[in-house]
Amino acid sequence: RAKADGSGCLRFFEPANDTRMHERRVQEIDLRRAWAAREFELFFQPIMQVTTRRLVAFEALLRWRHPERGLIQPDAFIPLLEEIGLILPVGNWVLSEACRAAMLWPGAPRVAVNLSPVQLAHGGLVASVAAALEESGLAAARLELEITETVMMKENPATVVTLERLKALGVRIAMDDFGAGYSSLRSLQRFPFDKVKIDRSFVAGLGQSQQSEAIVRAVTGMCVSLGITSTAEGVETPEQLLAVEKEGCTEVQGFLFSRPIPEGQVPSLIGALAAGDDKALLRGRGLL
Ligand code: C2E
Ligand code: MG
Ligand code: MG
Ligand code: MG
């Protein structure tokens, strides 16, 4: 039904749109409840150095353990967390939790934390990162912050200033999902990232398309020229590992080594990766 709103225009109230608004409102209430009830958890996925096959870092990945729906992946709720601003307290919690967890890990691997563009745009980020380091006692050099190019797209000079202040704390800054968007190269020009994570869509094409091989080779070559690290995301098979090694990637991350695992399983996975314990590795891959 259409209804005049007094401005000479007709406004349409479609039932489908109404239902969507209602669902969003219900999910928002559920998310606020979940935050208060501490239903968020961090999982961790190992990142390996290619040449030595040794563990160098873990990426912290957010999960929602819903009392009725079970474990929910971040793509299903982070956009709404961002929309309603709840990503700010949740993001600060992720930073603190990741630093606290990393303090307990044998061998002192680094920990990588994903940052939302909303966190980058908020004035309190540098203080939050500094506080997470301070409270946990983690050395800044062990913390890596991952951002996507959407952060850089607005060409806001304040963003680069924030990144520079973060870098001045001693943390490393990585560009996530490199190549997946339209302005990855432009972003690299605007800020001296320490690392590029090659989007897994390119890794998936290795051994299947010459284009993917050429692109991965070009990106790793560029990283060498820039003197920065390149990480291949989404390495699932031994063939892909050999391919990214051949193209010169510095680090790899993917189901081949382990799926993201709960914090409690990290110490045993560290042991298994060091010892080449196949059973524990298969468990990490969800194959056992
Ligand atoms: P991302 O930062 O690019 O994280 C890598 C994603 O790839 C993870 O998905 C991981 O489980 C998945 N992955 C890793 N290896 C493989 C593989 O071999 N094959 C395949 N098919 N997938 C692989 P996840 O955990 O669902 O996270 C999705 C995205 O959600 C992340 O992408 C990141 O952008 C966002 N995210 C996760 N945690 C946080 C957080 O704490 N804060 C913010 N702002 N974003 C987060
Ligand atoms: Mg990431
Ligand atoms: Mg990524
Ligand atoms: Mg991603």
Side-chain angles (χ1 to χ4, degrees):
R1 289 281 297 273
K3 179 171 127 187
D5 68 357
S7 64
C9 299
L10 288 177
R11 295 263 299 268
F12 291 88
F13 296 93
E14 296 171 49
N17 202 26
D18 240 34
T19 313
R20 230 176 294 130
M21 294 260 292
H22 178 71
E23 271 167 15
R24 185 193 168 283
R25 183 73 190 136
V26 167
Q27 227 208 338
E28 175 179 345
I29 291 167
D30 203 21
L31 270 175
R32 292 192 189 280
R33 183 200 53 74
W35 171 235
R38 302 167 178 266
E39 287 171 11
F40 295 114
E41 276 178 37
L42 288 184
F43 274 39
F44 294 93
Q45 187 182 32
I47 301 173
M48 313 292 289
Q49 185 162 47
V50 172
T51 50
T52 60
R53 305 286 201 268
R54 290 176 73 162
L55 173 75
V56 286
F58 279 94
E59 179 173 6
L61 295 159
L62 189 60
R63 298 288 182 268
W64 177 8
R65 198 173 290 279
H66 195 284
E68 284 131 37
R69 293 157 65 199
L71 202 64
I72 306 179
Q73 307 294 311
D75 289 333
F77 63 90
I78 285 186
L80 189 53
L81 279 184
E82 291 176 329
E83 228 179 283
I84 66 179
L86 206 56
I87 194 69
L88 293 173
V90 173
N92 285 344
W93 174 83
V94 170
L95 277 165
S96 304
E97 281 292 292
C99 292
R100 180 198 54 73
M103 281 300 281
L104 305 171
W105 296 338
R110 297 190 307 265
V111 64
V113 172
N114 293 284
L115 294 182
S116 155
V118 176
Q119 288 173 280
L120 253 299
H122 185 264
L125 179 64
V126 180
S128 295
V129 172
L133 292 170
E134 173 93 37
E135 284 159 17
S136 62
L138 189 78
R142 286 184 60 198
L143 177 62
E144 211 159 71
L145 301 175
E146 299 190 359
I147 67 170
T148 55
E149 64 162 32
T150 44
V151 162
M152 309 292 283
M153 263 160 51
K154 283 197 183 121
E155 309 249 332
N156 179 356
T159 306
V160 174
V161 172
T162 301
L163 291 174
E164 275 161 0
R165 288 173 60 206
L166 288 170
K167 217 168 159 165
L169 293 176
V171 307
R172 293 155 53 97
I173 314 283
M175 154 136 287
D176 207 348
D177 304 339
F178 185 85
Y182 296 103
S183 58
S184 296
L185 285 174
R186 176 90 182 115
S187 304
L188 275 191
Q189 189 193 27
R190 292 187 61 218
F191 181 76
F193 287 88
D194 298 290
K195 172 194 275 201
V196 153
K197 298 187 78 172
I198 303 170
D199 191 71
R200 71 165 182 268
S201 58
F202 300 108
V203 175
L206 292 174
Q208 293 176 19
S209 86
Q210 287 184 350
Q211 283 88 342
S212 295
E213 267 157 46
I215 290 168
V216 172
R217 186 173 311 151
V219 173
T220 56
M222 177 189 70
C223 289
V224 170
S225 302
L226 291 168
I228 68 178
T229 307
S230 55
T231 303
E233 297 188 309
V235 172
E236 296 182 352
T237 67
E239 292 75 26
Q240 287 169 345
L241 174 62
L242 293 177
V244 300
E245 181 169 36
K246 179 170 151 246
E247 305 308 347
C249 286
T250 326
E251 297 175 351
V252 283
Q253 176 178 3
F255 295 170
L256 175 65
F257 291 98
S258 172
R259 286 175 184 270
I261 53 167
E263 184 188 345
Q265 293 176 23
V266 168
S268 69
L269 183 68
I270 291 178
L273 287 168
D277 177 347
D278 289 342
K279 263 196 182 148
L281 291 179
L282 288 173
R283 254 198 315 278
R285 280 173 222 167
L287 298 174
L288 206 80

